[in-house]
Amino acid sequence: MALYSREDDVAIIAVNNPPMNALSHHVRKDLIKFLKVAEADENVTAIVLCGDGRTFPVGADIKEFHKSVSALGPTIIDIVHALEKSSKPTVAAIHGSALGGGLELALGCHYRIAMSTSKVGLPEVKLGILPGAGGTQRLPRVIGLDNAMKWIAYGHHHPAGVGASLGLIDRIVAKGGDIRRSAILFARSMVGKGLGQRRLSNVSVPDASKVEELMAKHLKEVGLRTRGALAPVVCLQVIKSSALLSYKDGLESERQGMMTLLASSESKAQIYSFFSERQVSKWNAPGIANHATAKPMQVRSIAVVGLGTMGRGIAISSLKAGKKTYVVELNSKALAAGVKYIRGYIETMKKRAQISEEQAAAMQSAIIPVSSYNGIANVDLVIEAVFENMKIKKEIFGKLDKVCKPSTILASNTSTLDIDEIASATKRPEKVAGMHFFAPAHIMLLLENIYGRKSSAETIATIMDIGKQMKKITVLVGNCVGFVGNRMYGYYTTESVFILEEAAYPEQVDKVLTDYGFAMGRFQVGDLSGNDIGYKIRTGLGITHKQQPAGTPERKRGVLRYCPLGDFLVEKGRLGLKVGKGWYKYEGSRTPIPDPEVRKIIDEYRTRHHIVPRDISSEEVLQRMLYPLINEGFKILEEGIAANPWDIDMIYQYGYAWPRHTGGPMYYAFTIGLPQVLKVIEEHWKAAGASEPHWQPSTMLTWLVENHGNPDISQWMPLMQKHKSKT
Ligand SMILES: CCCCCCC[C@H](O)CC(=O)SCCNC(=O)CCNC(=O)[C@H](O)C(C)(C)COP(=O)([O-])OP(=O)([O-])OC[C@H]1O[C@@H](n2cnc3c(N)ncnc32)[C@H](O)[C@@H]1OP(=O)([O-])[O-]
Ligand SMILES: NC(=O)c1ccc[n+]([C@@H]2O[C@H](COP(=O)([O-])OP(=O)(O)OC[C@H]3O[C@@H](n4cnc5c(N)ncnc54)[C@H](O)[C@@H]3O)[C@@H](O)[C@H]2O)c1
């Protein structure tokens, strides 16, 4: 709802729809009603629009999208026009955030004042739509086409101060000030001043003459940064009309653009992503605890054991979260190198104004270098990040168990190893869990937390809470080899080399993936992270080319199909970007260049095995890259390793840069249609048989298709649970 009050001659209309003052239908009805009241009351000389509680409205009610109520009048644009048309000065008083439809309301007002701490923006593009209440036509009239294109096509939130520098905000209220009082005084001071030029629909776009040049520039940038997404392009096309058409015709173009985008699978995927991102914090570890019942332990100090690639980033994340951070290496040289890196990184963040001087100083003084486990006896949480080796990890956990106080939680950053086995090295398995960070750990937003068979409710709640304090998208999963992300990714890489064998070169596979929306293809990613990582894992499994006794068929490991091309590369020193050559070559930059030498390795291999390369369609490449991964996702759901399909999708968006506009692997399967996905998987399974088990259709996928066709993704787990409870 909204509330109406009067402060002498000024009417105050306050949106009151917790938690974020979204502009739901009932709010819109109240706003129009109260604007009419204020307009009709001759004792009212000015009107202030504001939000109760945490914030100014942050936009339309996203829950209403794709439902008929979203179109029920009054619409947000009706309110924008009523605010603009008012004969009395209307002032938006912004605190918290004015986003989307909220900022569009503010653009309907004649004036906008904002707290210095507040944020403004039109983030609709991140929901796969565009600002549909006049924002595409009104924002360029205030801040110019160039800025409006940037703001709308990327959807970032901007500090109010930036808005003020561009003329969007008329006055800033300093931190601690009273925004509502300031707005009332400001509104009163505007009474009697002409409103003509304050009505944005009357104003022209300042840099309209540069429209073609700006359009070309932004289309190019958007194409590079938001590959494959439709909404940013439609946003630009619609903004363009603000420079070329009348306000009224521009609005019509906005309406049409909105209709196109609302009907797209992209907007549905983006809205799904918005809610999924928030849903993952509502974790559930069946039979142990859930987010609502379990209480976290208070963690004041964290020890990070091992300061290699991962440990350094984890330590920085811990420091950013304000924790006293013990950093541990047994070797003094390694300790010094790790500490130097961490301290240097903090200074760089300070130089780049990513953190304040005080924050940097606090982080520096919270680092405690330690070269023995005894030094971390009293910490609340240990995160181990040493080499990926079970024997070493068990040894360390055994020692930590002896040294650390009984309440200390012991977590491992292992990317693949069994958490229960690691826990078995301690006498406190209830206090052991996995905290799988992604490289670089201080930048990547994903944290995959793993509960073991014996992890306690408090341990799980604590690692989930720490993830939140580190501002990570923290997803809780069960324990299995590779957990969720890496277990699925394994089949993506397996299938990729089979495609090389049969039909394509690395750049052809990668192009299909970047056309789909990935920023990089699988082979470029391999080069970037280092092809030796996968090689080490395969060595651990005893399956690399070099480990086989003479006479072992090159393309088999037991009954399983194998392709040693990745092994050949590493054995020839082609470790990736770090050495200037891998699946591609690199000439002084990160740009991958297709390498004739790699083609030669592949060609010779094909000749040796009498493989005649065949034509392969992009569709087949995409299906073979994505469907095994999706199939494994269903197996993970079936086993209860992930609680929901959206948990998997968030792991993929935030850990593996899956293009958000397709929702994630599981949502993409739903978009394609489960029957179609299953059909393709079954065809491959029939052709490959037991030698390629990743094509064996998941029983959950098969059951869902046979019994429900393509049920809504929100129904997958309830349907399965109902089915299981009956059988
Ligand atoms: C169909 C035709 C329509 C035509 C008109 C179009 C008009 C317009 O152009 C379109 C829009 O405005 S599009 C909108 C453009 N605006 C945006 O895209 C802004 C979207 N919002 C945000 O980005 C973040 O919420 C903030 C940064 C505002 C706060 O972040 P924070 O402090 O970390 O808080 P948090 O954890 O994020 O949220 C707390 C709770 O509030 C919930 N909720 C939030 N916004 C909601 C909404 N608009 N709605 C509903 N619910 C919304 C959220 O789900 C969560 O619920 P839970 O049940 O507790 O999980
Ligand atoms: N690198 C990645 O991309 C990545 C991503 C996610 C998870 N992981 C996991 O993180 C862990 C660490 O990987 P990394 O890439 O940072 O390895 P790394 O080789 O870069 O670093 C390991 C560090 O541990 C130190 N170390 C070894 N034994 C130690 C001990 N007993 N006590 C203290 N320090 C010790 C080494 O000196 C080294 O600095 C592994 O389990 C790995 O699987 C790695």
Side-chain angles (χ1 to χ4, degrees), residues 254-446:
E254 182 184 274
R255 195 189 65 78
Q256 285 176 15
M258 185 65 146
M259 290 302 121
T260 305
L261 290 177
L262 266 178
S264 68
S265 58
E266 180 177 316
S267 76
K268 294 183 183 88
Q270 294 274 26
I271 289 165
Y272 162 81
S273 301
F274 176 85
F275 287 115
S276 297
E277 198 176 306
R278 283 149 183 87
Q279 209 52 36
V280 292
S281 60
K282 301 183 172 97
W283 58 270
N284 184 21
I288 307 179
N290 64 52
H291 70 101
T293 55
K295 292 257 169 308
M297 191 181 95
Q298 202 182 11
V299 171
R300 289 197 185 83
S301 56
I302 296 180
V304 181
V305 178
L307 295 184
T309 312
M310 295 305 291
R312 294 170 184 198
I314 297 169
I316 293 167
S317 303
S318 164
L319 291 161
K320 272 193 185 164
K323 306 296 168 196
K324 190 191 258 197
T325 304
Y326 293 75
V327 288
V328 188
E329 279 274 354
L330 303 184
N331 170 300
S332 60
K333 254 193 183 162
L335 180 64
V339 171
K340 187 172 169 215
Y341 178 89
I342 296 165
R343 291 202 186 282
Y345 193 83
I346 295 170
E347 288 313 297
T348 308
M349 285 196 290
K350 185 173 83 180
K351 270 190 212 122
R352 291 185 187 153
Q354 290 164 338
I355 51 171
S356 65
E357 294 224 354
E358 297 77 54
Q359 261 173 309
M363 283 170 75
Q364 293 285 13
S365 63
I367 304 171
I368 305 166
V370 173
S371 57
S372 86
Y373 301 132
N374 290 329
I376 56 170
N378 283 315
V379 293
D380 298 320
L381 167 67
V382 179
I383 305 174
E384 163 277 316
V386 308
F387 308 127
E388 186 74 341
N389 177 305
M390 181 58 93
K391 194 165 160 264
I392 300 179
K393 292 206 194 264
K394 280 175 85 170
E395 215 174 280
I396 293 177
F397 271 70
K399 284 184 187 157
L400 290 171
D401 186 37
K402 289 204 178 77
V403 165
C404 293
K405 63 181 178 183
S407 61
T408 305
I409 290 176
L410 307 177
S412 173
N413 180 50
T414 173
S415 22
T416 50
L417 301 176
D418 183 346
I419 295 299
D420 290 329
E421 192 178 342
I422 296 176
S424 73
T426 74
K427 292 202 171 68
R428 59 176 94 188
E430 75 287 355
K431 293 211 151 272
V432 177
M435 293 183 81
H436 181 210
F437 291 80
F438 284 67
H442 50 300
I443 300 199
M444 292 293 282
L445 282 176
L446 180 68

Side-chain angles (χ1 to χ4, degrees), residues 18 27 108 123 157 466 609 708 725:
V27 173
H157 304 177
I466 287 296
H609 293 286
H708 299 278
S725 67

Side-chain angles (χ1 to χ4, degrees), residues 1-21:
M1 64 174 181
L3 302 170
Y4 184 82
S5 62
R6 281 265 307 276
E7 173 109 2
D8 300 328
D9 58 330
V10 178
I12 300 147
I13 303 174
V15 175
N16 182 298
N17 188 21
M20 289 293 151
N21 287 329

Side-chain angles (χ1 to χ4, degrees), residues 53-209:
R54 273 179 68 182
T55 181
F56 194 81
V58 300
D61 184 341
I62 304 170
K63 292 194 186 87
E64 287 183 356
F65 283 0
H66 299 119
K67 293 187 191 143
S68 54
V69 63
S70 66
L72 279 186
T75 59
I76 302 177
I77 192 73
D78 293 335
I79 306 165
V80 169
H81 287 154
L83 284 161
E84 178 173 282
K85 227 171 71 192
S86 172
S87 60
K88 304 168 186 186
T90 50
V91 177
I94 298 170
H95 79 295
S97 300
L99 303 172
L103 183 61
E104 289 172 304
L105 285 189
L107 286 164
C109 292
H110 304 126
Y111 299 96
R112 291 157 288 280
I113 81 169
M115 292 300 298
S116 60
T117 47
S118 56
K119 294 271 173 72
V120 289
L122 292 176
E124 285 87 342
V125 72
K126 293 188 174 164
L127 299 170
I129 55 170
L130 50 72
T136 62
Q137 304 304 300
R138 304 169 78 84
L139 190 66
R141 286 171 157 81
V142 194
I143 67 172
L145 263 188
D146 195 11
N147 290 314
M149 284 180 167
K150 244 182 272 164
W151 279 41
I152 295 173
Y154 298 111
H156 296 313
H157 304 177
H158 304 271
V162 173
S165 69
L166 298 174
L168 173 65
I169 304 296
D170 299 291
R171 182 168 295 176
I172 291 282
V173 177
K175 198 172 170 186
D178 182 339
I179 183 76
R180 210 173 278 196
R181 175 119 304 277
S182 306
I184 292 167
L185 296 176
F186 182 87
R188 214 170 261 145
S189 73
M190 291 301 151
V191 174
K193 300 203 170 139
L195 293 175
Q197 283 305 296
R198 303 300 311 183
R199 295 190 171 105
L200 290 177
S201 60
N202 292 340
V203 175
S204 52
V205 174
D207 46 356
S209 62

